[in-house]
Amino acid sequence: MNIEWNKLRAFNGDIKNGFEELVCQLARAEQIPNKSKFIRVAAPDGGVEAYCVLSDNSEYGWQAKFFTTMGDSQWTQLDESFKTAFAKHPNLIKYYICVPLDRPDPRITITKGKRRGQQVNHFMDKWNAKVAEWEAFAKSNNRTIEFEFWGNSEIFERLSKKENEGKLYYWFGKEEFSDEWFKQKLDENIKNLDKRYTPELNFELPIAKIFDGISRDKYFNEQFNSYLDDLLKHYRKAVTHLKEAKVKDHIDRIVSTITTFRQQCEQIDYVEISTINNVGLSSLLEDVRKIIDDLIHKLYEIDSTLKKEKKEKSKYESDTNKFGWDIEYFRKLNSSIYEFIEFLNSTTVLLSNNPFLLLTGEAGKGKSHLLADVAVKRRERNQFSILLLGQHFTEEEPWSQIKKQLQLNCDRDTFLASLNAKSETTQSRILILIDAINEGKGKELWKNYISGFISAVKKYPNIGVVFSLRTSYEKLLIPESLTEKKEVIKVIHHGFSHHEYEASKHFFEYYGIKQPSIPLLHPEFSNPLFLKLFCEGLSKKGLHEIPDGYEGISTILNFYLEAINSKVSEKHRLPENLNLTQKVVKKIASQIADTENTY
C-alpha cells in the first residue's frame, strides 16, 4: 500500500522536516538489541538525522530525504550525506537511508521508446550499485558498514504496527493535534474559567517551577545543571587549593566519588526520559559529605598538632588556623552538596520521573489560575497542554467525555499515542490538566475511574497528567493507595502563604490602591480570592487607600463579606442592602456553634 505523502503533516512549516521527524520517531521506536542511547541530531545534521549508540559504543545512523524522484542530483545528495556521516561518526556500523519511494523490480523491461529487450536503469539497480560503492569506500578505510533502505513500503510496514498507530494518526491526520488545534481548545476552556483566571493579576510563585519537572523539558534540564555546575565549581576550588599530603586519601576519595556522580549525571537522557536515580545520586553525595566532615576534622587536628609543636619549641605561631581557607572552601562545597540533595529529592525531580500530579488546596487558593497560567506560558514556549474543567464532566466514563469535549473520533489509545507523537516533536511532555475534579459530577465519577485513568496514561512516557481538587474532597475522590504507592505525587497549593506582602503590593498597584505603611500580614491575605475581592471592594467604593481601622481582622472580614454580597446581589439582581451574604454566613456560624455545644 502507498502512503499519501502529500498529506504528511508539516513540521516547522515544511513537509520535508515532517518526514525527517517521522523517520526519527520510527527509528527511536525500532527494537535494536543492545541499544543504550538514541540521539536526535539538530541541523547541521552531520550526515544523519538521528543515531543510536549500542552497548559496545558502535552506532546506527538514519538519513532521511524527502525525494519525490530519484535522479543524479538525488544520488549525489545521498552520497554526500554518507561521506559526511562516515567522517563524523567513526563508530558507524549501520546506515539507514530513508526515502518516501519504493524500488521497482529491475527485472522488468519496457520497450516503449527503447529497443526491445533493453534493460531500464531502475532504482534498485542504482541502489545496489551505490551500496557496493559505499561498502568499497568503507573497506578501503578499514571499516565495515551495513546499509538498509527504508522506502514507502518499509515505512508503511512500521506505521501499521499496533505500537505506532498513534504516529500514523498524528502524522497523517488533518487539523487534529495541530498547533492551532491545541491553541483553540485551550482558549475555549480559559474563557470558560471566567474570573478564576486573571492573567493581569498573575503573581509568580515558586510552585510554578515544579511544572518544569513534570514537563521534563529544557527548563528542567537547566534547573538540574545549575545545581550540578554550582557543585562542580566549589568542588574544583576546594580540591585544587588544598595541598596537605596528610589528607591525600580524603581528597582521592572525594575526587573518585564526585567523578562517579558526575558520570551518572551526564548519562541522564532528558530527551528519551530516562529515569533519574535520585536515591542513588543522593547516596553518592551523602558519602562525599561524610568524607568532607572527616577531612575538616583532620585539618583541625593537623593544625592543632603544628601549633603544639611550635609552642614546645618556643616559636611564634598565629592563632589563625593554617587551613582556614581550605576549611571554608570545603564547607561551601558541603553546602552546595546539601542543596543538590534537596533538589534531587524535591517534587520537581520526582515529577520528572513520574508525571502524575495531584494539586490540592483550600477554596480560593488559586489552583485554577495556576493551571491556566502554566498552560498559557507553556504555549509561549511552544509546548502543548490540554486544559479540561471538572464542571464539564458527567457520570459517563471519563475518556468518552474527553473525546467528546475535544471532538475526536479515535479511540483512547490512538488519542494518547498521537499526543505522545506530538510531544516527541517538542522535546517536552504534553500535559493533560484537569481542573477542579470535585466539581460537577466529579464526586461520583473520579473515585471510580482515577486509578485506571492514570494506568492508561502511564504507557505513554511523553504525557503528564495534573488533577486539581479542593482539599476537603481529597479523601472522598482519591484512593489512599495512589498517594501511598506514589502513583500520583501530591502537592498542596498554599496560595500566597509566605508571600503575602509581595502579592498584596502587586494587587494594590493593579487596583491603584496605596500600599499601607504597615504590611497587612493577616493569614487571610494568603488567599488570592480573598485579596482580589478585598481590592475589588475598595475599588468599587472609589477608595485608593485602606481607611483607618481596616487593619483589624474583624473589619477586613466584614469588608470581604460586603464585597461578596455585592457580587451576589449583582449576579442575582437583588438589592445590596438585603445583606444576604452576611445573613447566610451568620446562620451557618450559628449552626456550627450549636453543633459544637451539643458535644
Side-chain angles (χ1 to χ4, degrees):
M1 177 179 176
N2 286 323
I3 301 173
E4 295 184 73
W5 289 106
N6 61 317
K7 294 184 178 180
L8 178 67
R9 188 186 298 274
F11 178 57
N12 289 339
D14 194 332
I15 195 170
K16 294 179 181 179
N17 294 332
F19 180 69
E20 291 177 5
E21 184 62 28
L22 170 61
V23 166
C24 289
Q25 290 191 12
L26 291 173
R28 182 183 285 115
E30 193 80 354
Q31 296 299 311
I32 297 175
N34 303 318
K35 179 171 69 174
S36 64
K37 193 172 186 179
F38 183 87
I39 300 166
R40 174 70 163 99
V41 181
D45 59 26
V48 295
E49 316 300 343
Y51 65 97
C52 76
V53 181
L54 307 187
S55 56
D56 62 357
N57 286 325
S58 59
E59 295 176 5
Y60 289 5
W62 283 261
Q63 175 59 247
K65 297 290 187 183
F66 191 74
F67 294 153
T68 56
T69 59
M70 289 300 298
D72 291 343
S73 173
Q74 285 75 29
W75 287 110
T76 299
Q77 290 181 55
L78 289 178
D79 194 63
E80 290 174 351
S81 293
F82 165 65
K83 296 290 177 58
T84 301
F86 187 88
K88 297 289 185 181
H89 295 267
N91 295 325
L92 189 69
I93 63 170
K94 189 168 185 177
Y95 194 59
Y96 295 83
I97 292 178
C98 311
V99 177
L101 296 169
D102 280 326
R103 297 170 295 178
D105 188 338
R107 295 170 298 177
I108 298 175
T109 60
I110 57 177
T111 59
K112 186 176 182 181
K114 303 283 183 181
R115 291 193 302 273
R116 183 176 298 276
Q118 180 181 357
Q119 190 77 29
V120 177
N121 197 3
H122 288 282
F123 189 167
M124 184 67 82
D125 291 328
K126 278 281 193 179
W127 169 259
N128 291 334
K130 269 296 176 185
V131 168
E133 178 186 322
W134 292 332
E135 287 176 342
F137 175 82
K139 189 175 181 179
S140 68
N141 287 275
N142 298 315
R143 290 170 61 182
T144 301
I145 298 178
E146 179 185 354
F147 296 86
E148 184 169 325
F149 181 78
W150 281 10
N152 177 80
S153 299
E154 290 81 2
I155 293 173
F156 179 74
E157 178 187 356
R158 285 165 173 79
L159 285 173
S160 299
K161 292 180 180 179
K162 179 69 176 176
E163 62 267 26
N164 289 328
E165 63 183 6
K167 293 180 176 62
L168 180 62
Y169 192 88
Y170 171 71
W171 284 105
F172 294 91
K174 295 183 180 179
E175 294 304 315
E176 293 171 359
F177 311 120
S178 67
D179 294 4
E180 183 58 33
W181 182 87
F182 278 94
K183 180 180 184 301
Q184 178 189 342
K185 300 301 178 185
L186 178 59
D187 287 343
E188 286 173 3
N189 273 334
I190 282 181
K191 287 182 179 178
N192 290 331
L193 279 174
D194 196 26
K195 294 186 178 180
R196 282 185 286 176
Y197 177 52
T198 48
E200 62 275 8
L201 281 173
N202 187 57
F203 179 75
E204 195 74 29
L205 289 166
I207 192 173
K209 297 299 291 181
I210 67 173
F211 288 89
D212 291 347
I214 196 171
S215 297
R216 189 64 180 248
D217 56 15
K218 71 173 186 177
Y219 302 98
F220 170 71
N221 192 349
E222 289 170 1
Q223 275 198 62
F224 193 100
N225 286 339
S226 68
Y227 285 94
L228 178 60
D229 291 345
D230 185 71
L231 183 150
L232 293 176
K233 178 185 71 176
H234 287 100
Y235 155 73
R236 285 189 288 265
K237 194 167 190 177
V239 298
T240 56
H241 188 269
L242 183 58
K243 306 297 183 183
E244 175 57 53
K246 292 180 181 179
V247 292
K248 184 178 183 302
D249 178 62
H250 291 79
I251 296 296
D252 289 344
R253 283 188 290 148
I254 290 172
V255 169
S256 175
T257 310
I258 289 290
T259 299
T260 301
F261 174 81
R262 182 177 184 175
Q263 289 172 344
Q264 291 188 16
C265 287
E266 290 173 348
Q267 289 171 4
I268 296 171
D269 194 328
Y270 294 95
V271 176
E272 294 300 298
I273 316 185
S274 61
T275 299
I276 295 175
N277 182 10
N278 61 313
V279 175
L281 291 173
S282 296
S283 179
L284 285 171
L285 291 182
E286 289 289 2
D287 290 344
V288 177
R289 293 191 73 200
K290 291 176 184 176
I291 299 170
I292 290 175
D293 288 341
D294 290 342
L295 170 65
I296 291 174
H297 181 73
K298 182 71 174 178
L299 291 176
Y300 274 113
E301 283 186 346
I302 295 171
D303 181 73
S304 178
T305 300
L306 289 173
K307 283 182 168 60
K308 185 177 180 181
E309 289 175 354
K310 287 196 173 186
K311 187 175 182 182
E312 289 173 352
K313 296 177 181 179
S314 300
K315 291 184 178 181
Y316 170 76
E317 177 62 19
S318 170
D319 291 335
T320 304
N321 191 309
K322 176 183 178 181
F323 305 104
W325 282 110
D326 296 298
I327 291 171
E328 178 66 18
Y329 291 150
F330 277 101
R331 281 177 174 162
K332 287 181 178 179
L333 173 58
N334 234 349
S335 177
S336 180
I337 290 172
Y338 175 79
E339 290 176 2
F340 205 159
I341 292 173
E342 288 283 294
F343 175 69
L344 285 169
N345 294 288
S346 69
T347 300
T348 301
V349 174
L350 295 178
L351 284 170
S352 78
N353 286 335
N354 181 39
F356 297 91
L357 169 63
L358 180 67
L359 182 68
T360 69
E362 300 296 340
K365 290 292 185 179
K367 299 181 294 297
S368 299
H369 178 97
L370 175 62
L371 294 190
D373 196 63
V374 164
V376 169
K377 284 184 168 56
R378 280 171 51 82
R379 183 170 68 190
E380 293 169 355
R381 294 174 170 182
N382 196 37
Q383 300 171 335
F384 300 97
S385 315
I386 293 176
L387 176 64
L388 303 167
L389 308 185
Q391 67 204 50
H392 293 158
F393 282 83
T394 65
E395 295 178 24
E396 184 185 2
E397 183 270 328
W399 289 112
S400 299
Q401 297 187 66
I402 289 172
K403 288 189 294 176
K404 285 179 182 177
Q405 290 180 36
L406 298 175
Q407 298 175 311
L408 298 172
N409 294 318
C410 58
D411 62 31
R412 179 196 71 189
D413 286 332
T414 301
F415 163 57
L416 291 173
S418 298
L419 291 184
N420 203 70
K422 172 75 172 181
S423 178
E424 287 187 51
T425 68
T426 65
Q427 297 186 6
S428 168
R429 285 190 181 112
I430 282 179
L431 300 187
I432 300 175
L433 311 169
I434 309 180
D435 181 48
I437 63 173
N438 54 277
E439 292 187 357
K441 295 292 183 178
K443 294 182 286 294
E444 291 78 27
L445 172 69
W446 289 106
K447 64 182 178 182
N448 298 319
Y449 287 103
I450 193 167
S451 296
F453 189 98
I454 291 172
S455 179
V457 181
K458 274 188 180 294
K459 293 183 291 184
Y460 304 93
N462 294 295
I463 303 174
V465 179
V466 180
F467 303 96
S468 77
L469 79 163
R470 200 171 296 177
T471 302
S472 54
Y473 288 93
E474 183 182 342
K475 290 184 178 180
L476 178 65
L477 297 183
I478 309 300
E480 287 186 9
S481 60
L482 281 182
T483 51
E484 288 175 354
K485 296 178 181 179
K486 303 296 183 182
E487 294 290 320
V488 62
I489 297 169
K490 175 184 170 183
V491 173
I492 302 174
H493 190 358
H494 295 288
F496 295 148
S497 181
H498 304 299
H499 301 276
E500 292 88 348
Y501 174 73
E502 296 88 348
S504 63
K505 180 180 179 182
H506 178 70
F507 274 60
F508 288 166
E509 287 177 353
Y510 176 78
Y511 283 98
I513 299 169
K514 182 180 177 182
Q515 186 77 9
S517 56
I518 301 175
L520 295 170
L521 298 180
H522 295 297
E524 286 72 23
F525 282 92
S526 68
N527 186 302
L529 179 58
F530 184 102
L531 181 57
K532 181 181 177 183
L533 290 176
F534 180 78
C535 290
E536 284 182 351
L538 286 174
S539 181
K540 284 186 176 181
K541 289 181 178 293
L543 300 174
H544 297 287
E545 59 182 321
I546 301 174
D548 292 339
Y550 271 66
E551 288 81 1
I553 189 59
S554 297
T555 306
I556 288 175
L557 286 173
N558 286 332
F559 187 75
Y560 178 66
L561 291 176
E562 287 178 13
I564 295 176
N565 184 67
S566 176
K567 280 187 169 293
V568 171
S569 300
E570 181 181 350
K571 181 177 180 179
H572 296 281
R573 299 179 182 178
L574 296 170
E576 283 191 36
N577 58 12
L578 288 177
N579 294 324
L580 290 177
T581 301
Q582 291 88 333
K583 290 175 182 177
V584 170
V585 170
K586 287 180 180 178
K587 184 68 174 178
I588 293 172
S590 176
Q591 289 183 354
I592 292 173
D594 290 342
T595 301
E596 290 180 347
N597 289 334
T598 60
Y599 290 95

